[in-house]
């Protein structure tokens, strides 16, 4: 019996109520718990003497509790607990807030390990709310798990320990022996035990490396199988090439890269037995919309309908206007279909789509709703594809009889990753910007220069331009929430420098409709300064905006910064990006100076991956790929190894039918089935298992 078949409630201390919390984290079975890997570790082995502590560093101190815990009430009804600890070299004060259990947990005269950030106040050094532990010498590296309200790390540790104890004596390793040997990987049982409870740091790295390798290998194999097998035959062949007449009608000449993208598409739609399945990847502002318009025109002239799906109302609206202009001299009929239209409008639009009266249909998710039926869909296009799951792309395609599929993305993805992320797509890269584009000048300043920067923004607004300000990010546990923070920040600007100007605000807690409204006001220049906590809508083209100012720039990934910067410099006006940060972290300066040095999205994506280390490279998992348990794409070396290993295995057994690969096949199925279950991925039913 597999551990995946044993419910989590079999573990001691986990009843139905607590099991529900575990399920929230995706842990339903004992097997799930075994593969619920720690998000990080605390290393308690590297202790510092109290006399050697340095302020603003995180340290581990092994010390004795030197005073009883003193609880005092402070302002706002909060509790503060104070206690001193000592080792042979000195004393240190500890402070805890709102934890009435401290006095029962820290016993006078006992020795503990304490881990926390050392700060200095006027009484000397102290640690605020350090973690503490009584550990034996063999457990110096402890796991830290992602939690949810109601579960603490101790409960997770206990569950993981018990789940591991239920592993059978002999575990079948899904990796064939020659792969283990070739890449010097540890056996699975060692990896599982040491990923949760490593005997030391080296064991932890070894365990993680092996699990990451395996996961990337499975992903690689799955995507490759999908690419080679998931292509249906299509009856839609567009023999005549109509793109030249359309391109001639544009007010500008296409760049070579745009031309190339158009011909790639025309070729895909004409020659192959299977439908086009292509990604056009081009930096912000590289002119993907015009390429897509040419493809739409071509589709319509060949007698079919084209659908163009955008992630937001405002983008759909904008595309609709752009297309309406581009096609004004033709008989092509453009339709808009978005969620915010009235029921009657939607119904009428859908009637025209179903009857075939509309030629090009531009819209939001409303396009894939069941009630939208196309008369003869020939080409399905998705804009800003990273905002959609792969499933939505597939659902749009399912509106026709194997129509051609085109997806557009501005998220620069390092070349090494393209194969995995878009394993099932052919790729065209637009590596050229339209002529006459000036680069966005980027500056990196400390908060001491913020006032000067704001005055600069004001001058731009006085000249009629508009500005974005991405306001300071709030970290969890800082006691302020996003909303309050954004409001405070905007209020400060509205009462201060921008007192006489229209300031708008956009934050994550707003309803989508309200967000759209604010964006629309900004697009119409009814708002001069847009303060935003979240990432400003992708792809929106407000050509009049010339400054993007980003607070706490150090907290963003370079790729996100690049996307944000792409919101300006879209028109004829000279544009600027101002990165504000006081962070002295080791690579902050290095990272932010990359932004100042280059506007090339690919170069930035590569640097991001190199500099950022572990972490979710794509921010909010905006790639529509399955959710990975342990791997992230920042480990380029393991990624390359896993790609090589995938090629090797497929060269021995192209359909993985070899008996030795049976466990791997099961893994592939599992990964992709899980994903289907989470509804972010299209099926991989064709992988034979
Ligand atoms: P993105 O690739 O980010 O979607 P867009 O398609 O929105 O970029 O194009 C950005 C701007 O560049 C648009 O205003 C568009 O009209 C303009 N543009 C596109 N192609 C060209 C070209 N070949 N020459 C001049 N301007 C162009
Ligand atoms: Mg675009």
């Amino acid at each position: 019996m597999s551990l995946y078949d044993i419910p989590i409630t079999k573990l001691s201390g986990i009843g139905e109520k607590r099991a529900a919390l575990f399920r929230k984290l995706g842990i339903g079975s004992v097997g799930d718990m075994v593969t619920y890997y720690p998000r990080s570790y605390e290393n308690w082995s590297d202790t510092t003497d109290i006399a050697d502590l340095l302020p603003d560093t995180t340290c581990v101190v092994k010390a004795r509790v030197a005073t009883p815990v003193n609880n005092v009430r402070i302002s706002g009804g909060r509790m503060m607990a104070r206690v001193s600890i000592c080792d042979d070299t000195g004393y240190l004060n500890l402070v805890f807030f709102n934890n009435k259990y401290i006095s029962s947990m820290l016993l006078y005269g006992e020795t503990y390990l304490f881990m926390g950030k050392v700060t200095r106040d006027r009484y000397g050094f102290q640690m605020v709310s350090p973690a503490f532990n009584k550990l034996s010498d063999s457990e110096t590296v402890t796991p830290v798990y992602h939690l949810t309200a109601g579960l603490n790390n101790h409960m997770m540790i206990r569950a993981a320990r018990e789940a591991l104890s239920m592993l059978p004596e002999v575990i079948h390793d899904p990796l064939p022996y020659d792969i283990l040997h070739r890449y010097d990987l540890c056996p699975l049982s060692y990896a599982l035990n040491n990923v949760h409870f490593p005997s030391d740091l080296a064991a932890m790295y070894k365990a993680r490396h092996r699990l990451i390798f395996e996961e990337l290998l499975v992903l690689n194999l799955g995507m490759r199988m999908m690419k080679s097998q998931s292509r249906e035959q299509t009856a839609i062949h567009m023999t005549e090439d109509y793109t030249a007449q359309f391109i001639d009608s544009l007010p500008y000449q296409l760049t070579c890269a745009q031309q190339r993208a158009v011909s790639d598409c025309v070729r895909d739609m004409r020659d192959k037995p299977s439908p086009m399945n292509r990604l056009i990847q081009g930096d912000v502002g590289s002119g993907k919309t015009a390429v897509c318009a040419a493809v739409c025109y071509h589709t319509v002239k060949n007698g079919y309908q084209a659908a163009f799906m955008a992630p937001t109302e405002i983008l759909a609206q904008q595309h609709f206007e752009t297309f309406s202009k581009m096609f004004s001299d033709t008989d092509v009929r453009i339709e808009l279909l978005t969620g915010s239209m009235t029921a009657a409008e939607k119904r009428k639009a859908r009637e025209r789509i179903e009857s075939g009266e509309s030629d090009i249909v531009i819209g939001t998710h409303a396009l894939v709703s069941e009630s939208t039926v196309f008369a003869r869909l020939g080409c399905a296009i998705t804009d800003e594809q990273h905002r959609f799951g792969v499933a939505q792309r597939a659902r749009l395609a399912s509106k026709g009889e194997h129509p051609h599929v085109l997806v557009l993305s501005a998220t620069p993805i390092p070349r090494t990753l393209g194969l995995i992320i878009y394993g099932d797509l052919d790729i065209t890269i637009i590596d050229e910007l339209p002529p006459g584009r000036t680069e966005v000048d980027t500056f990196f300043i400390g908060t001491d220069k913020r006032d000067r920067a704001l005055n600069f923004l004001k001058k731009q607004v006085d000249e009629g331009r508009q500005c974005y300000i991405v306001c300071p990010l709030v970290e969890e546990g800082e006691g302020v929430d996003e909303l309050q923070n954004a409001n405070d920040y905007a209020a400060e600007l509205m009462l201060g420098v921008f007192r006489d100007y229209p300031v708008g605000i956009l934050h994550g807690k707003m309803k989508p409709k309200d967000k759209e409204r604010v964006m629309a006001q900004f697009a119409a220049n009814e708002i001069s300064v847009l303060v935003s906590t979240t990432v400003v809508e992708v792809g929106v083209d407000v050509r009049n905006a010339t400054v993007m100012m980003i607070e706490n720039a150090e907290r963003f990934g370079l790729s996100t910064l690049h996307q944000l910067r792409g919101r300006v410099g879209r028109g004829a006006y000279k544009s600027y990006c101002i990165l504000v940060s006081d962070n002295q972290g080791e690579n902050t300066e290095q990272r932010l100076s990359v932004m100042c040095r280059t506007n090339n999205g690919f170069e930035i994506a590569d640097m991001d991956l190199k500099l950022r280390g572990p972490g979710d490279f794509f921010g909010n998992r905006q790639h529509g790929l399955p959710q990975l348990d342990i791997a992230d794409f920042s480990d380029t070396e393991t990624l390359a190894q896993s790609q090589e290993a995938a090629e090797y295995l497929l060269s021995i057994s192209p359909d993985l039918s070899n008996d030795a690969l049976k466990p791997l096949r099961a893994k592939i199925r599992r990964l992709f089935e899980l994903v289907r279950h989470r509804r972010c991925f299209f099926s991989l039913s064709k992988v034979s298992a």
Side-chain angles (χ1 to χ4, degrees):
M1 178 150 139
S2 150
L3 289 187
Y4 288 108
D5 297 326
I6 305 178
I8 189 81
T9 45
K10 275 281 179 299
L11 299 182
S12 52
I14 302 183
E16 256 321 307
K17 224 165 154 187
R18 196 165 281 174
L21 299 175
F22 275 86
R23 275 195 293 273
K24 243 185 175 173
L25 297 172
I27 308 168
S29 68
V30 172
D32 291 337
M33 189 64 230
V34 170
T35 54
Y36 191 75
Y37 304 124
R39 85 176 150 82
S40 65
Y41 300 84
E42 285 175 344
N43 180 8
W44 298 82
S45 65
D46 193 11
T47 57
T48 308
D49 286 342
I50 289 181
D52 295 337
L53 292 177
L54 293 174
D56 297 320
T57 55
T58 296
C59 297
V60 178
V61 172
K62 186 169 187 175
R64 193 158 43 83
V65 177
T67 62
V69 175
N70 178 23
N71 281 310
V72 287
R73 205 160 274 290
I74 53 169
S75 64
R78 298 199 303 160
M79 293 285 297
M80 182 171 82
R82 283 181 163 283
V83 62
S84 289
I85 56 172
C86 68
D87 64 8
D88 295 340
T89 67
Y91 283 84
L92 180 68
N93 291 323
L94 307 183
V95 181
F96 298 86
F97 291 101
N98 284 335
N99 190 337
K100 56 185 176 200
Y101 301 111
I102 290 296
S103 46
S104 58
M105 288 156 70
L106 278 183
L107 302 180
Y108 176 59
E110 295 280 314
T111 299
Y112 301 84
L113 287 161
F114 297 89
M115 182 187 297
K117 192 166 167 186
V118 180
T119 53
R120 190 210 304 257
D121 71 3
R122 70 198 134 112
Y123 305 111
F125 286 174
Q126 63 173 15
M127 269 189 195
V128 178
S129 304
F132 55 89
N133 233 321
K134 253 189 168 324
L135 295 173
S136 69
D137 286 343
S138 65
E139 309 170 287
T140 48
V141 183
T142 57
V144 178
Y145 296 93
H146 276 293
L147 303 173
T148 186
L151 288 182
N152 64 36
N153 206 45
H154 283 292
M155 298 173 190
M156 301 301 292
I157 287 179
R158 228 177 47 199
R161 223 184 262 292
E162 199 181 337
L164 285 171
S165 75
M166 292 166 74
L167 282 174
E169 202 67 24
V170 181
I171 308 178
H172 286 295
D173 201 316
L175 296 183
Y177 177 74
D178 50 343
I179 294 285
L180 289 176
H181 184 69
R182 193 178 176 137
Y183 294 100
D184 190 24
L185 301 168
C186 66
L188 181 58
S189 59
Y190 177 94
L192 290 175
N193 281 296
N194 281 278
V195 74
H196 290 282
F197 304 106
S199 47
D200 55 32
L201 279 181
M204 183 269 280
Y205 284 121
K206 200 157 178 55
R208 289 188 75 87
H209 175 66
R210 133 93 212 207
L211 295 169
I212 290 171
F213 180 96
E214 181 183 312
E215 193 167 39
L216 291 175
L217 175 65
V218 167
L219 182 64
N220 248 303
L221 286 171
M223 294 303 279
R224 277 164 201 253
M225 302 287 289
M226 183 150 97
K227 181 167 187 161
S228 63
Q229 298 186 33
S230 77
R231 301 211 161 170
E232 306 280 346
Q233 299 270 324
T234 184
I236 305 175
H237 293 284
M238 304 187 182
T239 40
E240 206 64 47
D241 182 356
Y242 292 96
T243 54
Q245 17 170 297
F246 176 77
I247 291 168
D248 283 345
S249 77
L250 289 173
Y252 44 74
Q253 267 204 311
L254 289 193
T255 63
C256 294
Q258 283 172 311
Q259 287 277 8
R260 196 157 26 80
V262 172
S263 359
D264 282 350
C265 294
V266 169
R267 195 164 4 89
D268 285 353
M269 295 160 95
R270 179 174 51 209
D271 291 342
K272 297 197 185 141
S274 54
M276 165 163 79
N277 203 20
R278 184 168 290 280
L279 164 75
I280 295 183
Q281 199 181 323
D283 217 341
V284 286
S286 59
K288 294 183 291 295
T289 318
V291 171
C292 155
V295 171
C296 287
Y297 182 78
H298 178 67
T299 303
V300 172
K301 284 292 152 191
N302 272 287
Y304 292 93
Q305 288 172 303
F308 187 16
M309 181 165 70
T312 62
E313 297 259 340
I314 173 101
L315 254 187
Q317 180 73 40
Q318 208 165 59
H319 284 323
F320 177 71
E321 283 160 20
T322 309
F323 272 51
S324 300
K325 250 183 249 151
M326 280 182 178
F327 290 97
S328 57
D329 292 337
T330 70
D331 54 358
V332 176
R333 292 152 301 182
I334 322 268
E335 191 77 63
L336 179 69
L337 180 64
T338 72
S340 70
M341 287 161 49
T342 66
E345 286 169 344
K346 272 187 273 199
R347 189 172 28 92
K348 281 195 192 129
R350 287 197 167 112
E351 277 166 15
R352 288 190 293 266
I353 296 168
E354 188 164 1
S355 71
E357 225 177 292
S358 326
D359 295 314
I360 300 176
V361 187
I362 298 174
T364 54
H365 300 83
L367 288 185
V368 297
S369 93
E370 238 156 73
S371 45
T372 312
V373 179
F374 286 83
R376 40 169 210 289
L377 183 62
C379 184
I381 307 176
T382 316
D383 194 16
E384 306 294 350
Q385 101 90 27
H386 60 285
R387 296 284 302 262
F388 292 101
V390 185
Q392 278 159 322
R393 185 214 304 169
R395 229 179 313 145
L396 182 60
S398 74
K399 296 277 172 191
E401 292 284 325
H402 309 302
H404 299 288
V405 169
L406 181 63
V407 299
L408 314 178
S409 177
T411 305
I413 285 164
R415 284 166 220 276
T416 46
L417 289 185
L419 188 61
I420 283 205
I421 310 280
Y422 297 121
D424 63 328
L425 297 167
D426 298 310
I427 302 179
T428 299
I429 291 174
I430 301 191
D431 51 3
E432 191 181 350
L433 291 181
R437 226 29 99 65
T438 53
E439 297 220 321
V440 177
D441 277 354
T442 304
F443 304 94
F444 168 29
I445 63 170
T447 50
D448 54 325
K449 302 241 168 63
R450 181 191 287 129
D451 285 343
R452 270 175 63 183
L454 288 172
N455 273 318
F456 174 73
L457 264 65
K458 199 163 129 179
K459 268 209 203 104
Q460 290 281 313
V461 174
D462 286 337
E463 286 170 22
R465 305 287 81 76
Q466 291 164 275
C467 308
Y468 297 97
I469 303 180
V470 175
C471 84
L473 284 178
V474 193
E475 244 172 43
E476 238 177 282
E478 282 177 16
V480 229
D481 69 2
E482 178 195 326
L483 183 62
Q484 181 192 350
N485 187 57
N487 283 337
D488 288 355
Y489 188 85
E492 201 178 307
L493 294 177
M494 285 185 219
L495 297 172
V497 247
F498 292 113
R499 137 180 98 245
D500 301 322
Y501 300 81
V503 176
I505 180 164
L506 199 68
H507 58 75
K509 301 244 163 83
M510 282 162 71
K511 291 201 193 100
K513 266 214 146 125
D514 294 331
K515 280 195 217 167
E516 302 268 355
R517 184 175 39 78
V518 172
M519 267 325 290
Q521 283 174 333
F522 188 65
N525 199 0
E526 288 158 22
I527 289 173
S528 297
V529 180
L530 184 63
V531 178
S532 148
T533 55
T534 48
V535 175
V536 186
E537 291 299 346
V538 288
V540 168
D541 202 18
V542 180
R543 293 164 150 233
N544 193 41
T546 52
V547 187
M548 167 62 70
M549 175 163 154
I550 303 168
E551 297 273 2
N552 293 135
E554 79 281 356
R555 294 199 195 167
F556 294 93
L558 290 184
S559 295
T560 306
L561 289 176
H562 180 65
Q563 284 282 320
L564 286 171
R565 176 167 66 184
R567 301 301 109 225
V568 298
R570 302 177 75 85
Y573 307 109
K574 176 83 204 139
S575 297
Y576 308 86
C577 175
I578 303 172
L579 307 171
V580 187
S581 175
D582 276 342
N583 186 283
Q584 311 274 314
E586 35 184 307
N587 62 18
T588 300
E589 177 142 2
Q590 198 186 355
R591 279 168 11 94
L592 297 183
S593 63
V594 172
M595 295 297 297
C596 302
R597 193 175 70 230
T598 177
N599 272 270
N600 180 322
F602 283 104
E603 201 178 310
I604 289 171
D606 277 332
M607 283 308 278
D608 200 12
L609 212 53
K610 277 203 201 97
L611 291 173
R612 197 129 78 114
D616 191 354
F617 170 75
F618 294 99
N620 308 318
R621 303 192 176 283
Q622 294 187 328
H623 46 62
L625 271 185
Q627 188 169 345
L628 300 173
D629 285 330
I630 187 166
D632 59 47
F633 299 111
S634 63
D635 185 349
T636 45
E637 203 173 312
T638 311
L639 188 62
Q641 283 182 353
S642 70
Q643 277 167 354
E644 186 190 286
E647 262 156 43
Y648 166 71
L649 290 177
L650 287 171
S651 75
I652 319 178
S653 181
D655 53 358
L656 301 182
S657 60
N658 190 320
D659 265 354
L661 302 179
K662 201 168 160 195
L664 259 186
R665 280 199 312 264
K667 283 255 166 193
I668 295 174
R669 227 188 16 228
R670 213 186 128 64
L671 179 67
F672 284 85
E673 256 168 24
L674 257 183
V675 166
R676 201 182 322 159
H677 165 71
R678 288 178 187 147
R679 307 187 95 235
C680 70
F681 207 87
F682 193 37
S683 86
L684 191 80
S685 50
K686 294 249 167 114
V687 171
S688 51

